[in-house]
Amino acid sequence: MISPTALVKRVGVGGRLVPFFKCVCVYFLAMGAGGSDPSLIGVATKCAPILCLLLVVVLHHGSLPYEKGWYARRIAAGLALSALGDAFLVWPQHFIAGMAAFAAAHISYISAFRFTPLAKPLAPIVYSGCGYYMTLITPPDGLKVLVPVYGMLLSTMAWRGLARGRAAAVGAVLFLISDAILGYSLFGGPVPYKQVLVMSTYYLGQLGIALSALDARTTTDQTS
């Protein structure tokens, strides 16, 4: 019979992801205890799960020959930029800076997923969904251009993640869902349990993307 500890270690890729799961639990416990006010502690609590994933990917990259670590490098860059975006978004006045950091993260993920295979049928589905979504929200004047541009980058990341398949596909779609919920809550209307829905799908999305960097297939793809 498998013990609970052994089961967690299996789910956590040999124990490497256990710190991530623990940090996610700490975040939700802190949020429930009223720890969501802007503060450096809030930044640390929010960013810790992503930094744990970043460490896992960096350590994995370190075990590879440099020429085979191109995918892990790009995923690590995306995680680092995401952590920066998380830190900015703790303070509402830094929303644009946070959006810019996440836009850069999406570019890094797109460069990792690449455009082979192209998976053309997925593109109109994803972009049509993005276009429809934009009709449901009303960003303020200062964001009327930035939000659609960000939406296009996010949709491209989701398309390329879906084309890549496996963990990358799951992670990219969950990331898309997380940002869609967040965007609607900000510019569309109230969303029940917003924080739980946004952050649970976000952390799981980033987990899927990070796991894609541990896939042995990424070391045999075209190198940079």
Side-chain angles (χ1 to χ4, degrees), residues 46 82 85-86 89 95 98-106 109 133-134 137 147 149-155 157-158 171-188 191 194 197-203 205-206 209:
K46 187 180 183 184
S82 295
D86 283 331
L89 291 181
F95 181 80
M99 182 188 296
F102 275 110
H106 293 318
Y109 289 151
Y133 176 82
M134 290 300 163
I137 61 175
V147 169
V149 169
Y150 179 84
M152 290 296 289
L153 272 176
L154 176 63
S155 298
M157 185 278 294
V173 169
L174 286 172
F175 202 148
L176 175 70
I177 292 172
S178 174
D179 272 6
I181 296 171
L182 176 60
Y184 188 83
S185 72
L186 293 172
F187 311 125
V191 176
K194 177 196 80 172
L197 291 173
V198 168
M199 295 308 296
S200 60
T201 50
Y202 169 68
Y203 285 138
Q206 293 280 30
I209 292 172

Side-chain angles (χ1 to χ4, degrees), residues 58-179:
V58 168
L59 291 176
H60 174 71
H61 173 266
S63 68
L64 300 172
Y66 182 82
E67 66 276 7
K68 292 186 176 181
W70 66 271
Y71 187 89
R73 284 194 294 275
R74 288 162 171 78
I75 297 299
L79 289 168
L81 289 164
S82 295
L84 179 62
D86 283 331
F88 279 129
L89 291 181
V90 168
W91 288 275
Q93 64 267 34
H94 297 313
F95 181 80
I96 292 178
M99 182 188 296
F102 275 110
H106 293 318
I107 292 172
S108 187
Y109 289 151
I110 292 166
S111 71
F113 299 153
R114 298 200 173 189
F115 287 87
T116 303
L118 192 57
K120 290 181 180 179
L122 291 174
I125 296 173
V126 174
Y127 289 125
S128 295
C130 177
Y132 175 71
Y133 176 82
M134 290 300 163
T135 67
L136 303 178
I137 61 175
T138 307
D141 289 341
L143 297 173
K144 284 189 180 297
V145 174
L146 294 178
V147 169
V149 169
Y150 179 84
M152 290 296 289
L153 272 176
L154 176 63
S155 298
T156 302
M157 185 278 294
W159 166 36
R160 298 321 307 151
L162 282 166
R164 188 168 188 86
R166 302 173 72 169
V170 176
V173 169
L174 286 172
F175 202 148
L176 175 70
I177 292 172
S178 174
D179 272 6

Side-chain angles (χ1 to χ4, degrees), residues 17 53-54 56-57 71 75 79 109 167 205-215:
L17 293 175
L53 293 177
L54 174 60
V56 170
V57 174
Y71 187 89
I75 297 299
L79 289 168
Y109 289 151
Q206 293 280 30
L207 173 61
I209 292 172
L211 286 175
S212 73
L214 309 185
D215 189 340

Side-chain angles (χ1 to χ4, degrees), residues 5-24:
T5 301
L7 179 60
V8 168
K9 287 186 176 181
R10 287 190 182 185
V11 173
V13 190
R16 286 175 288 175
L17 293 175
V18 170
F20 164 79
F21 290 119
K22 288 183 177 179
C23 287
V24 170

